[in-house]
């Protein structure tokens, strides 16, 4: 099973940007899909973005046009570029591996990284 380590979280002002990274313990070249989830206090975990092995992407409506998911197979890393951040983006962000066939089904998780958007 692949190990995932997220980084890049922190405190940012509204309107600011952050880039999250997810480093995998092995090659991600053949992994069907990878995704970013987030979970705010008292809320259910929400799927934010998914990228397939062919680099097709899907986004939650709440982040479309602001967030971009990408992957670098040579570095075994998936990124989440977050722009125009809002206070409601505050959450713990989790990286995952999984399979996308209609819906995305995760099978491995990272430990999460905290993103706080506040002035």
């Amino acid at each position: 099973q692949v190990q995932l380590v997220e980084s890049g979280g922190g405190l940012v002002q509204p309107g600011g940007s952050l880039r999250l990274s997810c480093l995998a313990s092995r090659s991600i070249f053949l992994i069907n899909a990878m995704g970013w989830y987030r979970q705010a206090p008292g809320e259910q975990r929400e799927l934010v973005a998914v990228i397939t092995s062919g680099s097709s992407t899907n986004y939650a409506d709440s982040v479309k046009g602001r967030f971009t998911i990408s992957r670098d197979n040579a570095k075994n890393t998936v990124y989440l570029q977050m722009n125009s951040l809002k206070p409601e983006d505050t959450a713990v962000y989790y990286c995952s591996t999984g399979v996308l066939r209609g819906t995305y089904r995760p099978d491995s998780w990272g430990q999460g990284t905290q993103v706080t958007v506040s002035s």
Side-chain angles (χ1 to χ4, degrees):
Q1 192 166 0
V2 62
Q3 306 299 316
L4 303 170
V5 178
E6 301 96 334
S7 61
L11 173 64
V12 63
Q13 292 187 341
S17 298
L18 282 175
R19 188 177 79 157
L20 306 183
S21 299
C22 172
L23 176 62
S25 59
R26 62 168 177 83
S27 174
I28 64 171
F29 182 71
L30 294 179
I31 293 177
N32 178 268
M34 296 185 70
W36 285 95
Y37 283 79
R38 66 185 180 187
Q39 188 168 21
E43 302 287 335
Q44 288 191 334
R45 194 169 291 192
E46 172 192 22
L47 179 60
V48 173
V50 175
I51 187 165
T52 69
S53 57
S55 295
S56 295
T57 57
N58 290 305
Y59 297 93
D61 288 343
S62 57
V63 306
K64 277 181 183 175
R66 300 189 298 122
F67 290 12
T68 302
I69 188 171
S70 62
R71 62 195 290 164
D72 186 336
N73 291 338
K75 295 183 178 180
N76 297 336
T77 301
V78 172
Y79 303 98
L80 186 67
Q81 177 67 44
M82 305 186 295
N83 299 328
S84 302
L85 283 161
K86 306 175 182 180
E88 51 263 44
D89 294 319
T90 296
V92 178
Y93 283 71
Y94 298 90
C95 177
S96 67
T97 62
V99 176
L100 178 63
R101 290 198 180 94
T103 59
Y104 177 68
R105 300 186 183 277
D107 52 33
S108 295
W109 296 93
Q111 83 290 348
T113 185
Q114 176 71 47
V115 171
T116 302
V117 184
S118 175
S119 54

